Amino acid sequence: MCGIVGYVGTKPAQSILVNGLARLEYRGYDSAGIAIIDGSKIGVTKTAGRVADLISSIAADQGSYTGSVGIGHTRWATHGAPVTKNAHPHSDCSQNVAVVHNGIIENYMQLRDELIAAGHTFTSDTDTEVVAHLVEQMGDEPLEIIVRNIMEKAEGALAIGVVRASDPDLIVAARRGSPLVIGFGDGESFLASDIPAILEHTRRIAIVGDDNVVSLTPGGVSITDLAGNPVEPVVRDIEWDLESAERGGYDDFMLKEIYEQPKALTDTLAGRIDDHYRIHLPELDLTPREARAIDKVFVVACGTSYHAGLMAKYAIERWTRLPVEIDIASEFRYRDPVLDDRTMVIGMSQSGETADTLAAIEYAQAQGAYVVATTNVVDSSMARVADSVLYTRAGPEIGVASTKTFVCQLVLMQILALYLAQIRGALDGATVEVMAKSIRALPDQVEKLLERADDIMEQARKYTDVKDVFFLGRGVSFPIALEGALKLKEIAYVRAEGYPAGEMKHGPIALIEKGVLVVGVATKSHLHAKTLSNMEEMKARAATLFMVLTEGDTEGQRLADDVAWVPPAPELIAPVTAVIPLQLFAYAISKAKGLDVDKPRNLAKTVTVE
Ligand code: AGP
């Protein structure tokens, strides 16, 4: 997730671009840059760091470029470390083209090899740079036709903005998947990844459609589809104030991030399941022989990441038959675990900076284990320490309560488990295919589930005054129960306990009485009937039951006071959708209590102390 801004008009572009980037910094802040057409050339200023660093670089360039056409970018690294050479805009060999890009070009390696063979020289490690060289390679064709061709060639979700020195009054942009909006002014036109970047200049905005190509000039905007047919923009007047526009019109970042989950999942899956439903994880820097030599796996993590790790234990053990131990990082690092050079230790962390998890993987590495980090932040401390890094690609998460990064961690662990099973020959191709198909269906399933978010939140608000909540699940639903309880604790300040449903009879059932709410995660699985029996036990002691059930489960519905329905999925895939009603449940209660969901008391997004 990166931020793009563009301006074409008669005013100096520089301050418009820089101010726009400051409004887009929430989308990424690894590096920033601008390109401005200045006479017959393009001036580029870019730097690692934040927009503030870009402003210093521009000042050091003596104010640099004075033109009225330009593009800017703030980066959240996916391909290539967050250093200046990988900052956008990227240029071609002759510096006549500049490109900004958001998203992932999945086939960039192949395009890059072809361009190198044709004599182009690359100066960055990004996937983006291929676009600049493709523009150069396609010669003097109109820029709009070139961009259409590039959109045909490039695979994946992407939004791009392109300027060329020989077209001094033109920006051409296009999108597929990644967001892009255009703004209409008098004698000027604007481009951005998100509305806040241009809202101070115009309130007349249109969303660019998928596979549409946009030409922006001072005189206006024209849009075509990939076949060159004209597309009429749907222009609307935006009434939001700037602050709510930064949250995309949502009340809070947490809710925005809940709604971003389909896109976050799509990006995390990009390139990892091919059209034959084979799993690819080239970032796992292990030969098949080395992967087959692993005889034990540990997962270490904290908080929500620990719950994703617990799901990973179920998936890896079931699919690979490797034994997996799961540890809270702050326990692992001091308990003298038995590790050797045949042990894989997976450190899971959204931030990649959590002190306990970082120390745990450093400890594991010192014992000779092979360390894999999974994180959402490129080049974070854990990414630098680990032997291999698997990134979730959820985009920056600002709400303290993790939501979109959690579902991405779940799918990434499912992918890793299937990949290990595939190379170890532990699963046949047909089973891998069934699982891979189900994983691929998740972004759409989550999208559809979120269409019912208001209903789920309405149901949840009935429990605003609840004091005691148990979240129960068995098997792979147990980590989801733990996660549901953590969400409710951290943002709604309700005492909530996540427990294995079958364990209640060994003590905690003594706490069940009228007024206690039990949230049962009882999606279809080989333990479904047993979970329902445990729910019966709660009901018999006068608990109220809110249940997460698979669509069509009339047996479960019969027991429940309230039901949140989720779509059918294989048992080990189902947690990804099952957690979403629980995120909405905690969110709705927190809001009903008038609490600050994005910044709950006593908590920090990243915990870099022991
Ligand atoms: C998640 O909602 C929490 N805020 C918290 O438990 C978090 O998951 C934990 O601190 C670990 O963070 P990490 O994933 O960045 O390592």
Side-chain angles (χ1 to χ4, degrees):
M1 185 158 130
C2 304
I4 289 176
V5 64
Y7 173 73
V8 43
T10 51
K11 297 175 190 149
Q14 187 178 288
S15 61
I16 295 172
L17 297 176
V18 169
N19 291 344
L21 291 181
R23 301 253 175 235
L24 291 176
E25 235 181 351
Y26 76 90
R27 299 181 64 84
Y29 36 77
D30 297 332
S31 58
I34 54 171
I36 294 177
I37 302 187
D38 198 10
S40 58
K41 57 182 183 12
I42 297 178
V44 175
T45 309
K46 60 185 185 177
T47 183
R50 294 179 168 247
V51 175
D53 300 301
L54 175 66
I55 292 169
S56 307
S57 299
I58 292 171
D61 279 356
Q62 316 261 300
S64 62
Y65 313 104
T66 55
S68 299
V69 177
I71 51 179
H73 189 270
T74 180
R75 179 168 188 249
W76 187 74
T78 60
H79 293 64
V83 295
T84 299
K85 72 168 181 171
N86 292 329
H88 299 215
H90 287 284
S91 302
D92 61 330
C93 302
S94 56
Q95 314 288 304
N96 283 325
V97 175
V99 173
V100 288
H101 163 225
N102 169 28
I104 295 166
I105 301 172
E106 289 172 23
N107 58 336
Y108 85 100
M109 284 297 261
Q110 178 206 328
L111 295 171
R112 188 179 160 112
D113 288 348
E114 287 167 11
L115 286 159
I116 290 171
H120 293 261
T121 305
F122 280 72
T123 57
S124 78
D125 308 318
T126 65
D127 49 344
T128 308
E129 197 183 340
V130 296
V131 177
H133 293 282
L134 282 169
V135 175
E136 182 177 40
Q137 178 71 16
M138 292 184 203
D140 296 331
E141 288 272 348
L143 191 53
E144 186 187 309
I145 294 179
I146 290 178
V147 169
R148 258 188 240 137
N149 284 340
I150 290 172
M151 290 304 283
E152 300 273 16
K153 276 180 186 289
E155 292 169 12
L158 66 154
I160 54 173
V162 185
V163 289
R164 186 165 68 172
S166 53
D167 295 296
D169 282 329
L170 176 68
I171 299 172
V172 178
R175 72 159 279 212
R176 181 185 310 127
S178 304
L180 209 53
V181 300
I182 43 179
F184 301 82
D186 291 330
E188 54 189 2
S189 306
F190 302 86
L191 173 75
S193 296
D194 200 358
I195 296 169
I198 53 179
L199 203 55
E200 64 178 301
H201 306 291
T202 179
R203 291 187 166 264
R204 288 169 52 227
I205 305 282
I207 309 282
V208 180
D210 262 346
D211 282 322
N212 281 186
V213 175
V214 189
S215 297
L216 300 103
T217 64
V221 173
S222 70
I223 310 178
T224 58
D225 63 18
L226 289 189
N229 302 308
V231 174
E232 207 44 52
V234 179
V235 183
R236 47 187 190 120
D237 280 313
I238 300 295
E239 285 163 13
W240 309 327
D241 58 29
L242 248 178
E243 203 192 321
S244 70
E246 274 170 339
R247 298 187 302 264
Y250 292 99
D251 285 352
D252 325 86
F253 279 105
M254 181 181 173
L255 192 62
K256 178 170 183 272
E257 286 156 6
I258 287 173
Y259 275 94
E260 282 172 352
Q261 291 180 116
K263 173 78 170 73
L265 287 168
T266 302
D267 288 348
T268 298
L269 290 174
R272 287 171 169 162
I273 301 175
D274 71 19
D275 292 342
H276 305 287
Y277 299 101
R278 299 280 296 168
I279 310 295
H280 299 273
L281 264 187
E283 315 93 295
L284 189 66
D285 200 10
L286 277 180
T287 63
R289 188 191 164 93
E290 287 165 336
R292 281 193 287 272
I294 299 290
D295 64 5
K296 185 174 182 184
V297 177
F298 277 80
V299 186
V300 289
C302 304
T304 287
S305 296
Y306 171 79
H307 301 152
L310 194 49
M311 195 283 319
K313 171 182 167 69
Y314 289 88
I316 297 171
E317 286 190 339
R318 184 87 61 84
W319 287 336
T320 70
R321 307 311 299 153
L322 277 166
V324 181
E325 282 196 44
I326 164 88
D327 259 280
I328 287 183
S330 54
E331 294 295 319
F332 175 90
R333 58 187 289 200
Y334 296 115
R335 80 166 170 86
D336 198 13
V338 182
L339 310 168
D340 60 30
D341 61 1
R342 300 186 72 174
T343 312
M344 175 185 280
V345 174
I346 305 170
M348 298 185 66
S349 170
Q350 177 281 130
S351 60
E353 302 293 345
T354 300
D356 285 317
T357 316
L358 178 61
I361 64 168
E362 284 171 337
Y363 171 84
Q365 209 166 40
Q367 306 301 306
Y370 185 82
V371 170
V372 179
T374 70
T375 174
N376 198 42
V377 181
V378 171
D379 224 27
S380 51
S381 300
M382 282 177 58
R384 289 198 299 270
V385 164
D387 299 303
S388 285
V389 192
L390 307 178
Y391 288 111
T392 47
R393 303 177 192 132
E397 191 174 64
I398 294 167
V400 164
S402 292
T403 51
K404 62 177 180 171
T405 55
F406 177 67
V407 294
C408 291
Q409 285 175 329
L410 294 179
V411 295
L412 189 56
M413 285 299 101
Q414 290 163 353
I415 291 284
L416 173 63
L418 286 176
Y419 178 73
L420 290 174
Q422 188 177 272
I423 51 178
R424 294 169 66 90
L427 279 185
D428 58 76
T431 309
V432 174
E433 180 172 335
V434 169
M435 297 305 155
K437 273 187 182 155
S438 304
I439 293 172
R440 264 210 178 162
L442 285 168
D444 282 345
Q445 288 185 331
V446 173
E447 184 95 54
K448 287 206 179 71
L449 178 48
L450 287 171
E451 285 167 13
R452 287 185 273 116
D454 286 342
D455 298 338
I456 297 170
M457 289 195 278
E458 181 74 46
Q459 287 171 305
R461 277 190 283 272
K462 284 195 264 176
Y463 304 106
T464 300
D465 296 324
V466 73
K467 298 276 179 286
D468 280 306
V469 189
F470 276 93
F471 284 74
L472 305 182
R474 296 183 76 125
V476 79
S477 292
F478 169 50
I480 300 307
L482 288 174
E483 177 60 9
L486 180 62
K487 290 282 95 80
L488 193 64
K489 281 187 263 208
E490 67 177 338
I491 63 166
Y493 313 152
V494 176
R495 195 160 301 131
E497 208 165 336
Y499 226 78
E503 182 67 8
M504 287 294 283
K505 57 187 171 289
H506 298 290
I509 200 166
L511 295 170
I512 301 296
E513 59 182 344
K514 193 168 171 45
V516 175
L517 176 64
V518 172
V519 178
V521 186
T523 49
K524 280 289 167 75
S525 74
H526 72 293
L527 294 168
H528 180 248
K530 292 185 191 303
T531 309
L532 292 194
S533 300
N534 298 140
M535 293 301 135
E536 293 268 16
E537 290 155 13
M538 302 305 121
K539 200 176 170 77
R541 284 150 184 92
T544 304
L545 300 189
F546 181 105
M547 291 175 68
V548 178
L549 297 174
T550 307
E551 284 158 12
D553 179 3
T554 47
E555 221 184 326
Q557 187 179 20
R558 189 178 48 78
L559 278 176
D561 295 284
D562 273 300
V563 178
W565 298 107
V566 295
E571 183 173 335
L572 288 166
I573 313 293
V576 179
T577 49
V579 75
I580 288 167
L582 305 188
Q583 297 169 346
L584 293 165
F585 186 90
Y587 175 84
I589 292 184
S590 174
K591 289 297 282 185
K593 289 174 133 181
L595 301 173
D596 183 343
V597 288
D598 284 338
K599 294 193 192 73
R601 69 186 181 201
N602 306 337
L603 294 177
K605 182 71 184 160
T606 303
V607 184
T608 52
V609 292
E610 252 204 82

